[in-house]
Amino acid sequence: MSMYDVVFRGVEIFDGTGGESYTADVALQDGKIAEIGTVEGFGVEEIEGKGLSLSPGFVDVHTHSDSQLLSDPSRMCKVMQGVTYEIGGQCGWSRGPAAPEIPTPGYEYLKTVNGGGKPITLYPTYNELLASLTKHKLGAHQMVFVGHHVLRASTVGMEDREPTEAELNRMKELLESAMQEGAPGYSTGLVYAPGCYSKTPELIELAKVVGKYGGIYTTHMRNEADHLVDSVKETIRIAKEAGVTTNISHMKAQYQKNLPQLYEAIRLIEEANAEGCNIFFDVYPYDACSATILSTLPPSYLSHDMEWLLEELSTQEGIDKLEKAILEPTEDFENPLLNAGFDKDLIAVAARTPDAVGKTIHEYAEEKGMRDIEAYAYLITENKGSVTDIRFTMCNESLAFLYGHPLSMLGTDGLYSGGKRIAHPRGFASFPRYLGRLIREQKVLPFNEAIRRITGMPADRYHLANKGYVKVGYDADLVLFNKDTIIDQATYSDPFLPNIGIEMVFVGGEAEVVNNRPTGVLNGKVYKPAK
């Protein structure tokens, strides 16, 4: 009679295929699923599964954890919600591969956004980037895309212009080398500098490199607001002309007035797929987004170096110019401070002005006796640009529509790193919120299909070998949960409130969470896709 490491007894299994759940025993041995059915052997650990459900570990297809592993390698904010695999390097942000000859403005900008103003290491090759992650004990498995920003900032710098032929070729060389070393693809963040300065032909040329290796192009599109449809059309053009599988990151419509554009955008994606494209998208289950506050500036303000920006916003003349540029814009950008307002922009991270954290810009301005624009400029200059904000610009009614669509998956877009007081709750509670509120309460999808969207479907889309399914021989990355109680409690003011209903989380056959508490075990690994 066999002896196993762990045996779950009589547990309801959602196997990741989307098929109906069933009840069985599941045995784990040496980090793998060893047996499913009526297990006659015994486990060193026997777990009673009555009233509970077992599924593959959840896959977070859109994260920024790769930039936060130095300060928070455990990623318990993700593991505690059932996540066992994170896919980072999103929205154009990664720390390599970077050309060693990076212009100073490019490095200073990446340092501000990715390092909180502190020096950061940029890696010349993809393998060196991954090697830097393997030095840490990780809570969740990690896979990392190549970010467009590091390619562009390290060759063109922060200039608002098209690359020369030599610069474009250098970006392609860096990307091709990364693809040869096993990168899953490249990502863009076309609302952020320096990616926002790129034209479509540049993006197509880089996407062709990715397509040649069977990789994925994933994009934070150029505009999720008034020009959402145009941005989707650009994405479809890139997918078609480059012949590349494409993911649209955190699909949404900014501002209520643009909901009709969201429906048209989805129609265009369906039409493109019917013509031979392979385009899908991810969504997070909240009505607010979060990013660097620098992305609320008109794009021209970031085409200089950080020193210029801080000097410009330190004078009353500069502040008045900025106010006109935002309230009477001549540049075409999402402009959340005009469209939503300073009272809809919550400060989450601002190390040098801690009294601003947890307040909107408008509230902080009133407290300081400043105009909104003055408080905004003050926050940027005092923190040397290193501010993270949360913007209430979306509407909940689109979530059921998007999650109900067969092309959708879940990505948290979580930005939390250890020690912060405030962060977007999506980094702590997206998966319990999705399963509890959208699936169990609103019945957007059947539970078995909802589990597939966060397990088997992303594992297939992103070529995650031996992940995403409860099958014999597959890795024992598993979540034991109560489907009748699973739900989030995290709020914007207190994102650390614990989730309900997550009983155990196994990574590589070892329990990292038991009774909704970390065990101290960290068993995550760094992976490349199985192409």
Side-chain angles (χ1 to χ4, degrees), residues 132-437:
S132 74
L133 304 182
T134 61
K135 295 176 182 177
H136 306 279
K137 287 192 172 183
L138 306 173
H141 303 309
Q142 303 291 325
M143 187 168 75
V144 183
F145 274 75
V146 173
H148 176 231
H149 298 311
V150 74
L151 298 177
R152 201 173 211 277
S154 68
T155 52
V156 183
M158 297 302 293
E159 297 179 40
D160 183 0
R161 63 172 175 82
E162 295 183 43
T164 65
E165 183 178 356
E167 289 166 340
L168 179 58
N169 286 337
R170 184 72 173 111
M171 283 192 276
K172 290 167 68 175
E173 287 170 5
L174 290 166
L175 182 55
E176 178 135 28
S177 175
M179 296 303 298
Q180 290 172 344
E181 292 178 348
Y186 99 109
S187 73
T188 57
L190 302 179
V191 73
Y192 306 116
C196 62
Y197 306 135
S198 61
K199 301 294 190 293
T200 310
E202 172 188 331
L203 305 176
I204 291 171
E205 286 301 304
L206 291 169
K208 285 178 179 178
V209 174
V210 170
K212 183 169 74 169
Y213 292 89
I216 296 172
Y217 168 62
T218 184
T219 179
H220 178 157
M221 296 187 297
R222 202 174 293 276
N223 192 296
E224 298 171 333
D226 295 353
H227 299 290
L228 173 60
V229 167
D230 290 338
S231 295
V232 167
K233 287 178 178 178
E234 179 185 41
T235 302
I236 291 170
R237 179 187 167 191
I238 294 166
K240 284 183 174 179
E241 294 191 25
V244 67
T245 297
T246 298
N247 178 68
I248 296 175
S249 298
H250 39 64
M251 189 70 186
K252 66 172 82 71
Q254 300 271 24
Y255 322 125
Q256 180 81 27
K257 65 180 180 178
N258 290 317
L259 264 181
Q261 287 205 54
L262 180 64
Y263 304 134
E264 173 62 9
I266 297 299
R267 188 194 68 78
L268 290 171
I269 293 168
E270 292 171 340
E271 186 179 86
N273 282 348
E275 294 171 354
C277 288
N278 184 14
I279 303 172
F280 42 92
F281 57 86
D282 60 67
V283 187
Y284 53 77
Y286 290 89
D287 61 357
C289 60
S290 182
T292 167
I293 201 171
L294 296 179
S295 63
T296 61
L297 287 164
S300 63
Y301 276 75
L302 297 172
S303 62
H304 309 273
D305 57 29
M306 288 302 300
E307 184 179 352
W308 177 91
L309 175 65
L310 299 180
E311 287 181 1
E312 178 72 7
L313 301 190
S314 296
T315 68
Q316 191 60 51
E317 181 183 3
I319 293 171
D320 291 343
K321 283 182 182 177
L322 176 62
E323 183 174 37
K324 185 173 183 180
I326 289 174
L327 301 183
E328 302 173 31
T330 57
E331 296 182 61
D332 191 5
F333 68 115
E334 288 183 352
N335 205 347
L337 297 177
L338 173 64
N339 286 299
F342 291 92
D343 61 336
K344 299 294 185 184
D345 197 305
L346 181 73
I347 302 304
V349 179
R352 301 188 184 196
T353 54
D355 57 331
V357 173
K359 303 181 179 75
T360 67
I361 296 174
H362 177 68
E363 288 171 338
Y364 189 62
E366 287 192 326
E367 184 179 284
K368 290 290 188 180
M370 299 176 175
R371 293 186 297 130
D372 288 346
I373 192 68
E374 291 170 341
Y376 172 63
Y378 176 78
L379 287 166
I380 291 173
T381 55
E382 284 297 300
N383 291 282
K384 300 189 183 304
S386 294
V387 178
T388 301
D389 62 350
I390 298 171
R391 306 166 201 164
F392 296 87
T393 58
M394 297 142 58
C395 53
N396 271 319
E397 66 188 86
S398 66
L399 293 176
F401 167 70
L402 289 171
Y403 279 121
H405 196 279
L407 294 175
S408 70
M409 296 176 290
L410 194 158
T412 66
D413 199 12
L415 295 167
Y416 176 73
S417 58
K420 303 297 187 292
R421 282 200 294 125
I422 296 289
H424 197 303
R426 66 191 181 186
F428 302 84
S430 286
F431 287 85
R433 182 180 184 86
Y434 164 75
L435 291 173
R437 299 185 190 278

